[in-house]
Amino acid sequence: MEILMAFLIGILFMTATYLMLSKSLLRIIIGTGLLSHGAHLLLLTMGGLKTGAAPLLGQHASSYVDPLPQALILTAIVISFGVTAFFLVLAYRAYQELGTDNMDRLRGKEGHE
């Protein structure tokens, strides 16, 4: 299962890198979202895909699952949601002001060579 997850993480990182290198601001935002999903899966896979009971005080089980990777992923999901929301608002406002989402036009390359 870890091999399948490694391939999926690699595909997500590859797609995210491709999208972040494009000129469209919306593709860059989608690329950062895919990159964060890949990082979440990487944290989950590195923590180990184990089966077991939840580590609660009242339960007695033969094996328990480590809660630390799950807590890290939950924190990363919240942070990536906030960053994505900020990027979307920033892109919407830039599109309202400038009328484009092309990164070359947003940089102001025309006439400043």
Side-chain angles (χ1 to χ4, degrees), residues 10-37:
I11 290 170
L12 281 174
F13 281 164
M14 178 184 62
T15 308
T17 304
Y18 174 75
L19 287 173
M20 287 193 301
L21 291 174
S22 68
K23 292 184 180 182
S24 174
L25 192 57
L26 188 58
R27 286 185 181 185
I28 293 171
I29 294 170
I30 293 171
T32 56
L34 284 178
L35 186 70
S36 68
H37 287 314

PDB file of all heavy atoms in Angstrom, residues 10-37:
ATOM      1  N   GLY A  10       3.852  11.179  -5.793  1.00  0.00           N
ATOM      2  CA  GLY A  10       4.706  11.653  -6.878  1.00  0.00           C
ATOM      3  C   GLY A  10       3.908  12.281  -8.007  1.00  0.00           C
ATOM      4  O   GLY A  10       4.297  13.312  -8.563  1.00  0.00           O
ATOM      5  N   ILE A  11       2.778  11.668  -8.357  1.00  0.00           N
ATOM      6  CA  ILE A  11       1.924  12.223  -9.409  1.00  0.00           C
ATOM      7  C   ILE A  11       1.347  13.557  -8.971  1.00  0.00           C
ATOM      8  O   ILE A  11       1.275  14.508  -9.763  1.00  0.00           O
ATOM      9  CB  ILE A  11       0.825  11.207  -9.788  1.00  0.00           C
ATOM     10  CG1 ILE A  11       1.444  10.023 -10.533  1.00  0.00           C
ATOM     11  CG2 ILE A  11      -0.258  11.857 -10.635  1.00  0.00           C
ATOM     12  CD1 ILE A  11       0.489   8.872 -10.745  1.00  0.00           C
ATOM     13  N   LEU A  12       0.928  13.658  -7.695  1.00  0.00           N
ATOM     14  CA  LEU A  12       0.395  14.934  -7.200  1.00  0.00           C
ATOM     15  C   LEU A  12       1.465  16.021  -7.213  1.00  0.00           C
ATOM     16  O   LEU A  12       1.202  17.163  -7.612  1.00  0.00           O
ATOM     17  CB  LEU A  12      -0.174  14.761  -5.791  1.00  0.00           C
ATOM     18  CG  LEU A  12      -1.551  14.142  -5.694  1.00  0.00           C
ATOM     19  CD1 LEU A  12      -1.923  13.898  -4.244  1.00  0.00           C
ATOM     20  CD2 LEU A  12      -2.590  15.011  -6.353  1.00  0.00           C
ATOM     21  N   PHE A  13       2.682  15.693  -6.775  1.00  0.00           N
ATOM     22  CA  PHE A  13       3.762  16.681  -6.793  1.00  0.00           C
ATOM     23  C   PHE A  13       4.118  17.087  -8.216  1.00  0.00           C
ATOM     24  O   PHE A  13       4.368  18.263  -8.489  1.00  0.00           O
ATOM     25  CB  PHE A  13       4.995  16.135  -6.085  1.00  0.00           C
ATOM     26  CG  PHE A  13       4.929  16.195  -4.587  1.00  0.00           C
ATOM     27  CD1 PHE A  13       5.807  15.462  -3.824  1.00  0.00           C
ATOM     28  CD2 PHE A  13       4.003  16.974  -3.939  1.00  0.00           C
ATOM     29  CE1 PHE A  13       5.763  15.508  -2.438  1.00  0.00           C
ATOM     30  CE2 PHE A  13       3.939  17.029  -2.562  1.00  0.00           C
ATOM     31  CZ  PHE A  13       4.822  16.293  -1.813  1.00  0.00           C
ATOM     32  N   MET A  14       4.121  16.127  -9.140  1.00  0.00           N
ATOM     33  CA  MET A  14       4.450  16.419 -10.523  1.00  0.00           C
ATOM     34  C   MET A  14       3.393  17.339 -11.142  1.00  0.00           C
ATOM     35  O   MET A  14       3.733  18.334 -11.802  1.00  0.00           O
ATOM     36  CB  MET A  14       4.532  15.120 -11.317  1.00  0.00           C
ATOM     37  CG  MET A  14       4.813  15.284 -12.785  1.00  0.00           C
ATOM     38  SD  MET A  14       4.795  13.724 -13.672  1.00  0.00           S
ATOM     39  CE  MET A  14       3.113  13.195 -13.423  1.00  0.00           C
ATOM     40  N   THR A  15       2.126  17.032 -10.915  1.00  0.00           N
ATOM     41  CA  THR A  15       1.053  17.856 -11.459  1.00  0.00           C
ATOM     42  C   THR A  15       1.059  19.244 -10.831  1.00  0.00           C
ATOM     43  O   THR A  15       0.848  20.246 -11.529  1.00  0.00           O
ATOM     44  CB  THR A  15      -0.302  17.172 -11.212  1.00  0.00           C
ATOM     45  OG1 THR A  15      -0.245  15.837 -11.693  1.00  0.00           O
ATOM     46  CG2 THR A  15      -1.421  17.900 -11.914  1.00  0.00           C
ATOM     47  N   ALA A  16       1.312  19.319  -9.537  1.00  0.00           N
ATOM     48  CA  ALA A  16       1.354  20.614  -8.859  1.00  0.00           C
ATOM     49  C   ALA A  16       2.492  21.476  -9.378  1.00  0.00           C
ATOM     50  O   ALA A  16       2.322  22.681  -9.593  1.00  0.00           O
ATOM     51  CB  ALA A  16       1.486  20.414  -7.352  1.00  0.00           C
ATOM     52  N   THR A  17       3.646  20.866  -9.605  1.00  0.00           N
ATOM     53  CA  THR A  17       4.785  21.624 -10.139  1.00  0.00           C
ATOM     54  C   THR A  17       4.479  22.148 -11.533  1.00  0.00           C
ATOM     55  O   THR A  17       4.778  23.301 -11.863  1.00  0.00           O
ATOM     56  CB  THR A  17       6.043  20.746 -10.162  1.00  0.00           C
ATOM     57  OG1 THR A  17       6.278  20.265  -8.848  1.00  0.00           O
ATOM     58  CG2 THR A  17       7.250  21.523 -10.635  1.00  0.00           C
ATOM     59  N   TYR A  18       3.864  21.314 -12.361  1.00  0.00           N
ATOM     60  CA  TYR A  18       3.495  21.740 -13.716  1.00  0.00           C
ATOM     61  C   TYR A  18       2.511  22.902 -13.673  1.00  0.00           C
ATOM     62  O   TYR A  18       2.659  23.880 -14.422  1.00  0.00           O
ATOM     63  CB  TYR A  18       2.897  20.562 -14.489  1.00  0.00           C
ATOM     64  CG  TYR A  18       2.351  20.942 -15.832  1.00  0.00           C
ATOM     65  CD1 TYR A  18       3.205  21.199 -16.900  1.00  0.00           C
ATOM     66  CD2 TYR A  18       0.985  21.062 -16.049  1.00  0.00           C
ATOM     67  CE1 TYR A  18       2.715  21.565 -18.133  1.00  0.00           C
ATOM     68  CE2 TYR A  18       0.484  21.425 -17.274  1.00  0.00           C
ATOM     69  CZ  TYR A  18       1.353  21.666 -18.318  1.00  0.00           C
ATOM     70  OH  TYR A  18       0.851  22.037 -19.533  1.00  0.00           O
ATOM     71  N   LEU A  19       1.511  22.815 -12.809  1.00  0.00           N
ATOM     72  CA  LEU A  19       0.513  23.882 -12.734  1.00  0.00           C
ATOM     73  C   LEU A  19       1.094  25.170 -12.160  1.00  0.00           C
ATOM     74  O   LEU A  19       0.722  26.264 -12.580  1.00  0.00           O
ATOM     75  CB  LEU A  19      -0.684  23.430 -11.908  1.00  0.00           C
ATOM     76  CG  LEU A  19      -1.600  22.411 -12.571  1.00  0.00           C
ATOM     77  CD1 LEU A  19      -2.652  21.930 -11.586  1.00  0.00           C
ATOM     78  CD2 LEU A  19      -2.247  22.990 -13.799  1.00  0.00           C
ATOM     79  N   MET A  20       2.002  25.059 -11.193  1.00  0.00           N
ATOM     80  CA  MET A  20       2.567  26.271 -10.590  1.00  0.00           C
ATOM     81  C   MET A  20       3.536  26.981 -11.526  1.00  0.00           C
ATOM     82  O   MET A  20       3.822  28.164 -11.325  1.00  0.00           O
ATOM     83  CB  MET A  20       3.252  25.936  -9.274  1.00  0.00           C
ATOM     84  CG  MET A  20       2.267  25.638  -8.176  1.00  0.00           C
ATOM     85  SD  MET A  20       2.979  25.589  -6.535  1.00  0.00           S
ATOM     86  CE  MET A  20       4.181  24.323  -6.671  1.00  0.00           C
ATOM     87  N   LEU A  21       4.042  26.300 -12.540  1.00  0.00           N
ATOM     88  CA  LEU A  21       4.934  26.942 -13.503  1.00  0.00           C
ATOM     89  C   LEU A  21       4.191  27.565 -14.679  1.00  0.00           C
ATOM     90  O   LEU A  21       4.826  28.113 -15.578  1.00  0.00           O
ATOM     91  CB  LEU A  21       5.962  25.925 -14.020  1.00  0.00           C
ATOM     92  CG  LEU A  21       6.985  25.463 -12.993  1.00  0.00           C
ATOM     93  CD1 LEU A  21       7.854  24.358 -13.576  1.00  0.00           C
ATOM     94  CD2 LEU A  21       7.831  26.621 -12.514  1.00  0.00           C
ATOM     95  N   SER A  22       2.869  27.516 -14.685  1.00  0.00           N
ATOM     96  CA  SER A  22       2.101  28.098 -15.780  1.00  0.00           C
ATOM     97  C   SER A  22       1.923  29.602 -15.573  1.00  0.00           C
ATOM     98  O   SER A  22       2.306  30.159 -14.544  1.00  0.00           O
ATOM     99  CB  SER A  22       0.743  27.411 -15.886  1.00  0.00           C
ATOM    100  OG  SER A  22      -0.040  27.726 -14.764  1.00  0.00           O
ATOM    101  N   LYS A  23       1.336  30.257 -16.557  1.00  0.00           N
ATOM    102  CA  LYS A  23       1.180  31.710 -16.504  1.00  0.00           C
ATOM    103  C   LYS A  23      -0.161  32.156 -15.934  1.00  0.00           C
ATOM    104  O   LYS A  23      -0.334  33.323 -15.638  1.00  0.00           O
ATOM    105  CB  LYS A  23       1.343  32.288 -17.910  1.00  0.00           C
ATOM    106  CG  LYS A  23       2.752  32.163 -18.429  1.00  0.00           C
ATOM    107  CD  LYS A  23       2.878  32.825 -19.771  1.00  0.00           C
ATOM    108  CE  LYS A  23       4.301  32.687 -20.283  1.00  0.00           C
ATOM    109  NZ  LYS A  23       4.475  33.358 -21.560  1.00  0.00           N
ATOM    110  N   SER A  24      -1.102  31.244 -15.794  1.00  0.00           N
ATOM    111  CA  SER A  24      -2.417  31.596 -15.280  1.00  0.00           C
ATOM    112  C   SER A  24      -2.419  31.560 -13.757  1.00  0.00           C
ATOM    113  O   SER A  24      -1.938  30.603 -13.140  1.00  0.00           O
ATOM    114  CB  SER A  24      -3.469  30.624 -15.824  1.00  0.00           C
ATOM    115  OG  SER A  24      -4.715  30.869 -15.221  1.00  0.00           O
ATOM    116  N   LEU A  25      -2.961  32.591 -13.150  1.00  0.00           N
ATOM    117  CA  LEU A  25      -2.985  32.678 -11.691  1.00  0.00           C
ATOM    118  C   LEU A  25      -3.886  31.609 -11.084  1.00  0.00           C
ATOM    119  O   LEU A  25      -3.581  31.058 -10.025  1.00  0.00           O
ATOM    120  CB  LEU A  25      -3.435  34.072 -11.269  1.00  0.00           C
ATOM    121  CG  LEU A  25      -3.266  34.465  -9.824  1.00  0.00           C
ATOM    122  CD1 LEU A  25      -1.812  34.338  -9.415  1.00  0.00           C
ATOM    123  CD2 LEU A  25      -3.755  35.868  -9.594  1.00  0.00           C
ATOM    124  N   LEU A  26      -4.981  31.273 -11.756  1.00  0.00           N
ATOM    125  CA  LEU A  26      -5.875  30.244 -11.246  1.00  0.00           C
ATOM    126  C   LEU A  26      -5.203  28.868 -11.262  1.00  0.00           C
ATOM    127  O   LEU A  26      -5.364  28.085 -10.329  1.00  0.00           O
ATOM    128  CB  LEU A  26      -7.164  30.213 -12.061  1.00  0.00           C
ATOM    129  CG  LEU A  26      -8.280  29.329 -11.536  1.00  0.00           C
ATOM    130  CD1 LEU A  26      -8.661  29.743 -10.126  1.00  0.00           C
ATOM    131  CD2 LEU A  26      -9.466  29.364 -12.452  1.00  0.00           C
ATOM    132  N   ARG A  27      -4.413  28.585 -12.283  1.00  0.00           N
ATOM    133  CA  ARG A  27      -3.680  27.319 -12.319  1.00  0.00           C
ATOM    134  C   ARG A  27      -2.629  27.256 -11.214  1.00  0.00           C
ATOM    135  O   ARG A  27      -2.372  26.194 -10.654  1.00  0.00           O
ATOM    136  CB  ARG A  27      -3.010  27.126 -13.670  1.00  0.00           C
ATOM    137  CG  ARG A  27      -3.977  26.765 -14.756  1.00  0.00           C
ATOM    138  CD  ARG A  27      -3.237  26.462 -16.024  1.00  0.00           C
ATOM    139  NE  ARG A  27      -4.172  26.127 -17.074  1.00  0.00           N
ATOM    140  CZ  ARG A  27      -3.811  25.725 -18.267  1.00  0.00           C
ATOM    141  NH1 ARG A  27      -2.525  25.624 -18.556  1.00  0.00           N
ATOM    142  NH2 ARG A  27      -4.709  25.437 -19.166  1.00  0.00           N
ATOM    143  N   ILE A  28      -2.038  28.369 -10.904  1.00  0.00           N
ATOM    144  CA  ILE A  28      -1.053  28.412  -9.813  1.00  0.00           C
ATOM    145  C   ILE A  28      -1.732  28.106  -8.480  1.00  0.00           C
ATOM    146  O   ILE A  28      -1.202  27.359  -7.656  1.00  0.00           O
ATOM    147  CB  ILE A  28      -0.345  29.774  -9.790  1.00  0.00           C
ATOM    148  CG1 ILE A  28       0.513  29.936 -11.041  1.00  0.00           C
ATOM    149  CG2 ILE A  28       0.504  29.931  -8.534  1.00  0.00           C
ATOM    150  CD1 ILE A  28       1.090  31.311 -11.218  1.00  0.00           C
ATOM    151  N   ILE A  29      -2.927  28.631  -8.277  1.00  0.00           N
ATOM    152  CA  ILE A  29      -3.666  28.375  -7.040  1.00  0.00           C
ATOM    153  C   ILE A  29      -4.061  26.902  -6.949  1.00  0.00           C
ATOM    154  O   ILE A  29      -3.936  26.276  -5.891  1.00  0.00           O
ATOM    155  CB  ILE A  29      -4.894  29.301  -6.953  1.00  0.00           C
ATOM    156  CG1 ILE A  29      -4.432  30.750  -6.818  1.00  0.00           C
ATOM    157  CG2 ILE A  29      -5.799  28.910  -5.801  1.00  0.00           C
ATOM    158  CD1 ILE A  29      -5.532  31.757  -6.959  1.00  0.00           C
ATOM    159  N   ILE A  30      -4.519  26.326  -8.055  1.00  0.00           N
ATOM    160  CA  ILE A  30      -4.857  24.898  -8.070  1.00  0.00           C
ATOM    161  C   ILE A  30      -3.607  24.059  -7.816  1.00  0.00           C
ATOM    162  O   ILE A  30      -3.647  23.046  -7.111  1.00  0.00           O
ATOM    163  CB  ILE A  30      -5.541  24.520  -9.396  1.00  0.00           C
ATOM    164  CG1 ILE A  30      -6.912  25.197  -9.486  1.00  0.00           C
ATOM    165  CG2 ILE A  30      -5.690  23.011  -9.536  1.00  0.00           C
ATOM    166  CD1 ILE A  30      -7.577  25.065 -10.826  1.00  0.00           C
ATOM    167  N   GLY A  31      -2.472  24.492  -8.360  1.00  0.00           N
ATOM    168  CA  GLY A  31      -1.215  23.789  -8.129  1.00  0.00           C
ATOM    169  C   GLY A  31      -0.795  23.797  -6.674  1.00  0.00           C
ATOM    170  O   GLY A  31      -0.310  22.791  -6.149  1.00  0.00           O
ATOM    171  N   THR A  32      -0.976  24.926  -5.988  1.00  0.00           N
ATOM    172  CA  THR A  32      -0.636  24.961  -4.563  1.00  0.00           C
ATOM    173  C   THR A  32      -1.571  24.069  -3.751  1.00  0.00           C
ATOM    174  O   THR A  32      -1.152  23.453  -2.766  1.00  0.00           O
ATOM    175  CB  THR A  32      -0.668  26.393  -4.015  1.00  0.00           C
ATOM    176  OG1 THR A  32      -1.955  26.961  -4.260  1.00  0.00           O
ATOM    177  CG2 THR A  32       0.412  27.239  -4.643  1.00  0.00           C
ATOM    178  N   GLY A  33      -2.828  23.986  -4.173  1.00  0.00           N
ATOM    179  CA  GLY A  33      -3.755  23.072  -3.499  1.00  0.00           C
ATOM    180  C   GLY A  33      -3.351  21.620  -3.671  1.00  0.00           C
ATOM    181  O   GLY A  33      -3.382  20.831  -2.725  1.00  0.00           O
ATOM    182  N   LEU A  34      -2.970  21.258  -4.896  1.00  0.00           N
ATOM    183  CA  LEU A  34      -2.518  19.886  -5.141  1.00  0.00           C
ATOM    184  C   LEU A  34      -1.226  19.585  -4.391  1.00  0.00           C
ATOM    185  O   LEU A  34      -1.030  18.465  -3.895  1.00  0.00           O
ATOM    186  CB  LEU A  34      -2.317  19.656  -6.635  1.00  0.00           C
ATOM    187  CG  LEU A  34      -3.579  19.469  -7.477  1.00  0.00           C
ATOM    188  CD1 LEU A  34      -3.208  19.303  -8.930  1.00  0.00           C
ATOM    189  CD2 LEU A  34      -4.374  18.299  -6.988  1.00  0.00           C
ATOM    190  N   LEU A  35      -0.345  20.572  -4.295  1.00  0.00           N
ATOM    191  CA  LEU A  35       0.890  20.379  -3.557  1.00  0.00           C
ATOM    192  C   LEU A  35       0.617  20.137  -2.072  1.00  0.00           C
ATOM    193  O   LEU A  35       1.243  19.276  -1.445  1.00  0.00           O
ATOM    194  CB  LEU A  35       1.812  21.583  -3.737  1.00  0.00           C
ATOM    195  CG  LEU A  35       3.202  21.462  -3.144  1.00  0.00           C
ATOM    196  CD1 LEU A  35       4.010  20.456  -3.957  1.00  0.00           C
ATOM    197  CD2 LEU A  35       3.889  22.801  -3.152  1.00  0.00           C
ATOM    198  N   SER A  36      -0.340  20.854  -1.525  1.00  0.00           N
ATOM    199  CA  SER A  36      -0.673  20.643  -0.115  1.00  0.00           C
ATOM    200  C   SER A  36      -1.322  19.277   0.095  1.00  0.00           C
ATOM    201  O   SER A  36      -1.054  18.615   1.100  1.00  0.00           O
ATOM    202  CB  SER A  36      -1.577  21.762   0.399  1.00  0.00           C
ATOM    203  OG  SER A  36      -2.848  21.692  -0.200  1.00  0.00           O
ATOM    204  N   HIS A  37      -2.146  18.825  -0.852  1.00  0.00           N
ATOM    205  CA  HIS A  37      -2.726  17.482  -0.736  1.00  0.00           C
ATOM    206  C   HIS A  37      -1.637  16.416  -0.799  1.00  0.00           C
ATOM    207  O   HIS A  37      -1.698  15.415  -0.070  1.00  0.00           O
ATOM    208  CB  HIS A  37      -3.759  17.233  -1.826  1.00  0.00           C
ATOM    209  CG  HIS A  37      -5.042  17.977  -1.638  1.00  0.00           C
ATOM    210  ND1 HIS A  37      -5.698  18.028  -0.433  1.00  0.00           N
ATOM    211  CD2 HIS A  37      -5.796  18.689  -2.499  1.00  0.00           C
ATOM    212  CE1 HIS A  37      -6.791  18.749  -0.562  1.00  0.00           C
ATOM    213  NE2 HIS A  37      -6.873  19.168  -1.803  1.00  0.00           N
TER     214      HIS A  37
END
